[in-house]
Structure formats: C-alpha cells, structure tokens
Amino acid sequence: MTLTTECNLRCKYCYEKCCKDIGVDLGGLEIDYSVPSSIRYDIAELKRFCERDPDPTIVFYGGEPLLKTDLLEDIMHKVRVSKFMIQTNGILLHKLSSECFKRMDTILVSVDGNEDLTDYYRGKGVYNQVIRNLKRLREKGFAGETIARMTVGRETRIDQEVCHLLFCEDVFNSVHWQLDALFWHNDYDKEGFSEWIRTEYSPRVRNLISIWIKEMKDHGRVLRIYPLIGTMQSLLLNEPTRLRCGAGWTMFNIQTDGNITPCPVMAGMRDFYLGNIKQTNPEDLMSRAVHVSGPCTDCSICSICGGRCLYANVTKLWGQEGFELVCNTVHELVGALKDAVPTIQQLIAKQQISLEDFQYPKYNSCEIIP
C-alpha cells in the first residue's frame, strides 16, 4: 500500500535524480498525473478488498508512510490481514504506538551503511536517528525482523558496509541492497559505471561472499544477507524461480487512488493498471499477472535470477546496452555463488550449518537480485 508519495528526506539517489529526470520519455507509456499524493479512498473499501484475499499481507510504503502515522494505525485497527510490514526511512519510527509496532512482522529501514555513508546519501544526522529509533523499538519489545534496505552507489564499499550493519549495530537481523541503476535516464554513465563494477562492486561482492562463508565455517552462522541466502537456496535445491520480488504476479501495489499496479515504482503507469480495490477480487489478479520479457526471458540464468526489476525491464531507461551492463552484475553474483556451492554442501554434510538456515520469508519486499 502506498500511503503517500510525500517524503521527509531529499536523498541523492532519489529526490535529487528525480528532479533531473523530469519530462523524460518513458517509451510511449501513458502516465496518469491525476494520482493523489495521499490516500483518497475509504478504508472500508480496503477492508472489503482484503477480506476477499484468503491470506493477505499489507506492506506500508511511500514516499514515507510514517508521515501518515494516524492513517496507518487506523488501517491496522480496522483491516484484518495475516501480516503487516513497513518500508520506512526510519526517521519517524518513534511515532508508532507500542500496540502497532509490536504487531509489525517486519520493519524494513532504508540505511546505506555506516554513519558517514548514510548521511552522505540521505542527509546529516539520519543515521544516528535511525539507529536510535530502532534501539528504542527493541527495548520496548519489538521482536520481529528488522531489515536494512541499502541503496548501493559508487561511494559504497558493499562488503564493508554490509558487515558494519550486521556486526557493529545490534539492531538489524538482515540486509538487502539495490543498485542505484536503471531507475533514472539522465544518470547513465557507461564508462564510469563499468569501471566501478569492474574494480569495486563485483570484487567486493566476491569478498562479501567469502566473509559470509567464513562466518559459516568459524561460527556455524548463516548471515541473513538476502541476495546471498535467496540465490544460494535456489542453487542448493536446484529450484527455478520467477521474478523474485513477486511484483506483478503475487505482490501488487495499491496506489493512493485505489488502482492496482504490479509494484509501487509503477504507480501511475496506466498501461499496467490491473484493477481497483472497489471492483477487483484479489484472487483475480493472478489471471492478470505481468511478467518480465526479453532480454530476461532469453538469458541463461533466468531460472536462477528470476528477471530484472519489472520497472527496469519495461522502461530500459539506460537503453539495451545499459540494461545488459547491469545484468552482468547478476551474472557475476550468481557465478560467485555457484563457485561456493561445493563448500556450502560440505558444511551442510558436516552439520555445521543446515539447509534450513537458507530459508527466508518469500515476497517480504526484499531484493534478492540487486
């Protein structure tokens, strides 16, 4: 659920790049500019919609959903679902009542690594406020999963920042990340991005995998790094997958006017309106599923990857060349994890770890494919 498109931060990779992309052609897609900034439908309509779903989960999304804390808590009181989750920048977590935050199954918080890096991307003082709020939630009894949502750009040392979040701050259970790529048109820099991938990102991902395996060997612990546990589980089980975030086939977004799209990033894209909470039965959405197309469907690792982000697959804002450049990072990730399979199989055989250690909640808004 997108509660609001408004936000209280002005992050470099979101607001700043958005301003530079105003007016960019999305390849003839029709954009609905009438979508309101905050919810305009009646909560009773949402309640009726969810009652027709046999096992609904609501993930609160924005903008920043906690700018509408009263509305969020009203929904939690009135709408019965299996699970509530939230994706938030964490600045306003202290506004949630104890009753409501204790009912959250998962809290996903946007944080990009250590204090210096997070504040560079998201604004001075953000990191300390987020960590302080999460520690308060733990002290007050929150027992669910807290996931660090990292956006990874050229200032990010992925191995060091992931380790910082999992080892240095006692607030996160898990980490996932998304590359700052393919969401905007005017930030495409082939030479600079290629060099960063070659010299920094891919080598550091391999080092992170080495650290991950060393933790298994030394302490029998499988760190909950979603791109690693999700992909490795599929490799160990020889299990093919569809688009791993579930967007468009098992996860859908209710935008602020009640129209339904495959994911929040595709809000306002009329070509992908799949229904409305007033008229649509949730179970009918499966028959309207939207799936990735080429080049993903023709890729040799599609059954493991599941496909590039649906929005990126549709828009290709960096063109075909840029799209394939980003996908090469996934080939690198999957290749490194394939190399690690024999070692992990041996650790399982020795009972230092178990196959169950790679289990994770499916479709909880985590990026398995960065």
Side-chain angles (χ1 to χ4, degrees):
M1 288 185 60
T2 299
L3 294 183
T4 178
T5 58
E6 298 169 359
C7 189
N8 54 342
L9 294 181
R10 297 290 182 265
C11 302
K12 288 182 179 295
Y13 41 66
C14 186
Y15 178 82
E16 189 174 299
K17 290 190 177 184
C18 175
C19 291
K20 295 178 181 178
D21 247 30
I22 292 173
V24 165
D25 180 18
L26 293 179
L29 294 171
E30 184 182 359
I31 304 302
D32 182 357
Y33 292 103
S34 70
V35 180
S37 61
S38 297
I39 283 180
R40 294 284 177 85
Y41 54 82
D42 195 301
I43 301 308
E45 294 169 351
L46 175 68
K47 184 175 184 293
R48 286 191 291 270
F49 178 78
C50 289
E51 285 172 347
R52 288 177 284 175
D53 188 327
D55 188 25
T57 290
I58 284 180
V59 183
F60 295 111
Y61 195 89
E64 173 46 52
L66 290 176
L67 288 173
K68 301 294 179 182
T69 304
D70 290 346
L71 174 61
L72 183 153
E73 296 200 349
D74 190 34
I75 291 169
M76 292 187 76
H77 287 131
K78 293 178 179 177
V79 181
R80 186 169 298 177
V81 298
S82 301
K83 292 179 182 177
F84 286 107
M85 305 181 187
I86 185 171
Q87 295 198 34
T88 173
N89 61 36
I91 295 293
L92 302 174
L93 274 170
H94 61 281
K95 294 180 64 176
L96 267 180
S97 68
S98 295
E99 177 191 354
C100 285
F101 77 67
K102 287 180 181 178
R103 290 178 61 202
M104 289 285 182
D105 179 85
T106 306
I107 298 177
L108 300 102
V109 179
S110 298
V111 60
D112 300 319
N114 66 21
E115 180 181 355
D116 288 344
L117 185 70
T118 298
D119 286 3
Y120 168 78
Y121 281 129
R122 306 181 67 76
K124 187 174 177 57
V126 167
Y127 179 86
N128 285 330
Q129 181 67 46
V130 167
I131 299 300
R132 185 160 54 245
N133 283 343
L134 286 170
K135 286 181 177 178
R136 285 173 181 163
L137 290 191
R138 289 296 190 200
E139 290 166 1
K140 292 180 179 179
F142 178 69
E145 185 176 15
T146 50
I147 304 174
R149 304 173 65 228
M150 298 175 63
T151 297
V152 171
R154 295 190 206 174
E155 302 297 324
T156 309
R157 300 160 300 180
I158 185 67
D159 49 349
Q160 295 180 36
E161 305 303 342
V162 168
C163 289
H164 172 84
L165 292 171
L166 289 179
F167 293 129
C168 299
E169 296 292 358
D170 190 26
V171 290
F172 293 109
N173 306 107
S174 320
V175 169
H176 76 109
W177 71 87
Q178 186 172 54
L179 285 172
D180 179 18
L182 297 178
F183 281 91
W184 313 108
H185 172 73
N186 288 317
D187 67 345
Y188 180 42
D189 170 16
K190 176 186 176 182
E191 184 175 333
F193 186 79
S194 298
E195 178 70 8
W196 175 70
I197 291 297
R198 184 181 66 81
T199 62
E200 280 287 319
Y201 177 72
S202 289
R204 288 186 180 276
V205 167
R206 284 189 174 270
N207 187 49
L208 180 61
I209 292 171
S210 297
I211 294 168
W212 187 58
I213 293 172
K214 187 175 188 300
E215 188 72 9
M216 297 180 210
K217 290 178 176 178
D218 293 349
H219 304 290
R221 177 188 177 202
V222 178
L223 297 172
R224 294 184 63 76
I225 303 172
Y226 271 90
L228 307 189
I229 62 171
T231 308
M232 181 55 70
Q233 184 189 56
S234 296
L235 291 170
L236 291 171
L237 296 175
N238 194 26
E239 178 183 73
T241 184
R242 287 187 276 183
L243 189 65
R244 287 183 176 271
C245 65
W249 67 276
T250 191
M251 287 280 285
F252 301 88
N253 175 58
I254 303 170
Q255 63 185 37
T256 51
D257 59 3
N259 283 318
I260 299 167
T261 60
C263 77
V265 183
M266 300 177 81
M269 296 173 70
R270 284 189 186 273
D271 306 72
F272 293 93
Y273 280 9
L274 304 176
N276 188 285
I277 59 171
K278 294 180 182 179
Q279 298 91 19
T280 305
N281 187 317
E283 294 187 302
D284 292 341
L285 289 171
M286 294 298 290
S287 64
R288 306 174 191 183
V290 179
H291 299 287
V292 292
S293 57
C296 291
T297 48
D298 302 318
C299 178
S300 62
I301 62 167
C302 187
S303 64
I304 292 296
C305 167
R308 186 83 243 151
C309 160
L310 186 58
Y311 173 82
N313 181 274
V314 167
T315 59
K316 294 186 178 66
L317 291 175
W318 283 9
Q320 188 77 11
E321 176 188 60
F323 188 88
E324 292 177 0
L325 183 62
V326 176
C327 283
N328 285 339
T329 68
V330 184
H331 281 270
E332 290 274 354
L333 173 67
V334 171
L337 288 171
K338 282 183 176 179
D339 291 343
V341 166
T343 299
I344 289 177
Q345 287 175 329
Q346 289 174 9
L347 292 172
I348 292 173
K350 294 177 182 177
Q351 298 186 336
Q352 289 180 251
I353 58 172
S354 71
L355 188 57
E356 287 70 31
D357 291 329
F358 297 89
Q359 290 182 353
Y360 63 98
K362 300 293 195 297
Y363 321 120
N364 63 350
S365 295
C366 278
E367 301 289 344
I368 304 298
I369 299 302

